[in-house]
Amino acid sequence: MRILVLLIFFSFCKLSFSQNRYEAFGIHDVWKIVDLESMTEVETPNYTDWHRAYLDLLCMKGDNFIDLYHKQKGFIKRFNQKRPESVRINDRTFFYFYDKDSTYLIPGIYSEKIVLPKRYVHLRSENGYLICKKDENYDVFISSNLNKPFLEDIKAADYFFREVVDKKDNKKLTLHLFFGKDHTLIYDSQFLLLQTLNSASDFFQVEQYILQDYIIMEDVPKEKDEVFITEGLFENDSKSMKIIKDATYTLKTNNIFDWSFYDDNNFLLLYNYDRNEYYRFQIDFENKIFLIPLDLQKEIGIQFEN
């Protein structure tokens, strides 16, 4: 009866805290998912890692596949790709995933996703355009209109672009170059076709082509995607750690660990190299709840001291 009361208490407190039902946690060398209504482990594959870019999603990485879970609703979809890739469109970072029919551009919130009408295995944003590589060729979108390709089925195996100066009149140009199949196609900044050349087998041959008519400008540093710097608190070889939030909290365990706590997402890492033990999970300080299954809490012996 006491266990049942505790389960009801934990469920009510956690749902009132964030309205999320699912969260990720790590144990030893795998990642898993906890159901915060029952405080039990969800039956899933053993994941190798999880991607932390989302507010309302768990992006779980397996062996050459990725599973997406909504933190409230559960499993969404599996993608057969090794990792999520990112692209920056209109000053916003999207991670993209693809199945056999479509490509999913997902920013930090899943409900704001954009679905492109075809499978693209690589995306690149350049000067207001989105360059999309299919398995066999390329499509090009205008970044402000992702509903329909601006150009379709450009026959090429590879793409790059260069900022150049025309030797004839010293005008600056941006060139989009597609190559690697029957022809090398050179487009201007608005994707008007300037030249069609014999095929070039690699990047360096294409550069030699354009050096005949253009001077390549020095590469301009690109704006970087957001970099999140995480500051942490650390405690070595201890059974307890003090953490200051709205109040001072003391956490303790029944065994000695090295502790790392990251304040920006309330993530705690406990590890002991000698015993080969690693535990990684979030903490709800408001309700004094550890977002891991109850049986794992008992195994670690973790609790709030005060």
Side-chain angles (χ1 to χ4, degrees), residues 35-265:
D35 183 336
L36 297 173
E37 286 189 356
S38 62
M39 298 303 290
T40 58
E41 180 186 323
V42 177
E43 186 175 345
T44 68
N46 286 336
Y47 296 109
T48 59
D49 200 357
W50 71 291
H51 192 56
R52 300 158 179 80
Y54 299 106
L55 296 176
D56 57 351
L57 281 185
L58 298 174
C59 178
M60 310 299 295
K61 297 169 63 177
D63 185 12
N64 295 327
F65 68 89
I66 297 170
D67 285 345
L68 296 186
Y69 292 80
H70 195 279
K71 288 187 177 183
Q72 297 175 13
K73 302 173 184 178
F75 179 77
I76 297 174
K77 190 173 179 63
R78 172 168 291 184
F79 296 96
N80 292 318
Q81 60 193 90
K82 292 183 179 180
R83 59 186 180 273
E85 305 282 358
S86 67
V87 63
R88 194 162 179 83
I89 307 171
N90 300 328
D91 296 323
R92 193 176 190 191
T93 298
F94 291 82
F95 289 87
Y96 60 89
F97 307 83
Y98 48 84
D99 58 22
K100 63 183 180 66
D101 299 313
S102 307
T103 303
Y104 299 75
L105 293 165
I106 306 177
I109 300 175
Y110 179 70
S111 61
E112 298 176 2
K113 68 182 180 297
I114 298 170
V115 181
L116 301 180
K118 299 179 186 178
R119 165 192 165 96
Y120 298 113
V121 297
H122 184 69
L123 305 181
R124 177 169 171 174
S125 181
E126 294 292 357
N127 287 14
Y129 292 91
L130 185 63
I131 319 300
C132 302
K133 179 178 175 58
K134 294 182 282 189
D135 291 309
E136 297 295 333
N137 47 38
Y138 282 84
D139 289 348
V140 177
F141 290 81
I142 299 173
S143 294
S144 58
N145 180 10
L146 299 177
N147 296 316
K148 183 180 179 180
F150 173 69
L151 289 177
E152 292 186 271
D153 299 329
I154 299 173
K155 292 178 173 57
D158 288 289
Y159 159 87
F160 72 100
F161 101 117
R162 279 291 181 269
E163 292 182 343
V164 300
V165 175
D166 194 322
K167 291 180 179 179
K168 297 191 300 291
D169 53 19
N170 288 327
K171 287 186 177 179
K172 293 181 181 179
L173 296 173
T174 295
L175 300 181
H176 299 272
L177 303 108
F178 296 86
F179 65 99
K181 287 197 173 181
D182 294 339
H183 298 93
T184 295
L185 305 171
I186 302 178
Y187 293 83
D188 71 3
S189 61
Q190 297 183 341
F191 275 92
L192 294 175
L193 184 60
L194 297 177
Q195 289 178 279
T196 301
L197 305 172
N198 291 330
S199 178
S201 60
D202 59 38
F203 167 85
F204 299 102
Q205 287 186 356
V206 176
E207 280 207 326
Q208 291 306 308
Y209 274 138
I210 64 175
L211 283 172
Q212 297 174 25
D213 299 313
Y214 305 100
I215 300 170
I216 298 175
M217 298 172 62
E218 293 295 325
D219 288 341
V220 178
K222 294 182 178 298
E223 182 179 354
K224 294 183 178 179
D225 289 349
E226 297 96 337
V227 177
F228 299 97
I229 299 174
T230 303
E231 295 184 0
L233 301 173
F234 307 98
E235 185 71 48
N236 294 327
D237 296 325
S238 176
K239 288 187 176 183
S240 66
M241 183 182 200
K242 290 186 183 295
I243 299 172
I244 299 175
K245 302 290 285 184
D246 57 314
T248 298
Y249 299 90
T250 300
L251 311 181
K252 65 178 184 178
T253 58
N254 61 5
N255 216 330
I256 291 175
F257 289 98
D258 290 335
W259 301 63
S260 298
F261 175 74
Y262 301 95
D263 188 65
D264 62 335
N265 57 9

